[in-house]
Amino acid sequence: MNWNDILHQWPFYIFLALCLTLLIQLLYNLYFFLRFLLYKSKDKFQSQTHPVSVIICARDEAHNLEQNLPPILTQQYPTTHEVMVVNDNSFDDTKFFLEELERMFRHLKPVNLTQEAKHIPGKKYPLSIGIKSSKFEVMLLTDADCKPASEWWIQKMQDAYTDDIEVVLGYGAHEKKPGLFNKLVRFETFHTALQYFSYALAGTPYMGVGRNLSYRKNLFFKAKGFSSINHIPGGDDDMFINKVATKENTAIVIDPDTFTYSEPAANFAEWWKQKNRHYSTAKFYKTSHQFLLGTYALVNWLFYPLLIVSAIFFSWQLALGALAFRWLMQGIVWGKAMQRLKENDLIPLFWLFDIWQFFYYIVFSLSVFVKPKSSWK
């Protein structure tokens, strides 16, 4: 092998680019994701229970509330708490269902909205009304289609609060269903959580999910609510956290008892709608967050085209070695993280998800340029 000749051939530089993507991915694994794999919640010398306001927004979701509201109302929590359900102009039986439950559960506080906020798209207006109507400082948010994994959800989520903590990020998982599509949806949810948990632990919190999120009421008012993002259809969870979360005021909770579970998208069209809403807000993240997330997505997307070109035009043996190294990293990092988030059935397919990411970034990157619908339901 004549290295002088090789150094002047373009396939060699393609292979170098391939190695660079591996190096960048290794750095992300070591600096960000390793923190999540090694994370242990801090022992507290004294545990404090705070009065909590659970806030749920619902529009035409009587069926979901019938399934998911009772487990929230019967939480084991010794301190004062309330469950506020903001009924946002529903046309179904939501109002009557809530009135019936209110007779049995004194801590259920329905709020019925009869007017639309014309210039505030999405869920931000009903959520703002719920927050302003709540009694307590610590607010715990979830969705009408979500169910807590245990009766200790409120207890363990609020236990993350200390004098300095103002934001607590939880895991909003999806129910396990048969079929590959369900696994693809759940992998994307897992992968997003791995990133926002890891970034928070690295002192760079950038988002949370409204399915399982908590913050202080005072923080909401100090940030003037959603006023700076009222023009964006989404953003009531990720954009708000991107604005107010800091290294000092943010904590994560990954106890399996605190997970919430919701029905996953049933088909690709529904999934596209959900992801379109999410990615349409990502372009408003802080510049540093956009750079970190964009670089990570880019190296993941470039890997397989560079691999194929290197295997064909440079050396298939070295290309195969690069693939083996990448899959070894992915197998270790994703496998351990999937165990922590109780997504164990995804582990054997980690290699398939790795390949799928190339197509995923192509398909869903288009949603950045698509304007989502202003209605949240």
Side-chain angles (χ1 to χ4, degrees), residues 251-266:
I252 73 168
V253 178
I254 55 172
D255 186 312
D257 284 343
T258 67
F259 297 170
T260 61
Y261 289 91
S262 61
E263 284 287 324

Side-chain angles (χ1 to χ4, degrees), residues 23 38 40 57 60 67-68 75 90 99 108 111 119 138 185 192 201 222 225 244 255 258 293 330 332 335 337 343 359:
L23 176 61
L38 301 178
K40 292 183 180 179
C57 295
D60 296 328
Q67 300 295 320
N68 302 318
Q75 288 282 297
S90 295
E99 289 174 350
L108 173 62
V111 177
H119 303 294
V138 171
V185 173
T192 299
L201 292 173
K222 191 164 56 177
V244 303
D255 186 312
T258 67
L293 295 168
Q330 301 292 54
I332 293 173
E343 304 285 9
F359 301 99

Side-chain angles (χ1 to χ4, degrees), residues 55-172:
I55 302 179
I56 303 167
C57 295
R59 171 175 285 189
D60 296 328
E61 296 201 71
H63 173 72
N64 283 327
L65 291 172
E66 288 175 8
Q67 300 295 320
N68 302 318
L69 191 53
I72 295 175
L73 292 170
T74 55
Q75 288 282 297
Q76 297 294 320
Y77 191 60
T79 300
T80 302
H81 66 288
E82 62 181 356
V83 178
M84 303 196 64
V85 180
V86 183
N87 176 21
D88 183 19
N89 296 276
S90 295
F91 289 97
D92 63 1
D93 294 332
T94 296
K95 182 176 183 291
F96 306 108
F97 173 71
L98 293 175
E99 289 174 350
E100 185 67 27
L101 275 186
E102 193 178 9
R103 298 188 184 98
M104 295 182 284
F105 298 96
R106 296 177 60 185
H107 58 294
L108 173 62
K109 310 294 182 182
V111 177
N112 294 301
L113 302 183
T114 57
Q115 290 184 333
E116 298 276 1
K118 294 182 179 179
H119 303 294
I120 306 179
K123 192 172 65 175
K124 291 185 288 295
Y125 176 70
L127 182 54
S128 296
I129 295 298
I131 292 172
K132 291 176 181 178
S133 304
S134 64
K135 294 181 180 179
F136 306 123
E137 173 66 9
V138 171
M139 298 177 296
L140 181 55
L141 314 182
T142 190
D143 289 338
D145 62 347
C146 293
K147 180 185 301 183
S150 77
E151 58 189 359
W152 304 106
W153 172 56
I154 297 178
Q155 172 68 43
K156 293 188 176 182
M157 282 294 288
Q158 69 82 40
D159 195 48
Y161 280 98
T162 63
D163 291 340
D164 297 327
I165 296 302
E166 298 179 290
V167 177
V168 177
L169 308 178
Y171 183 45

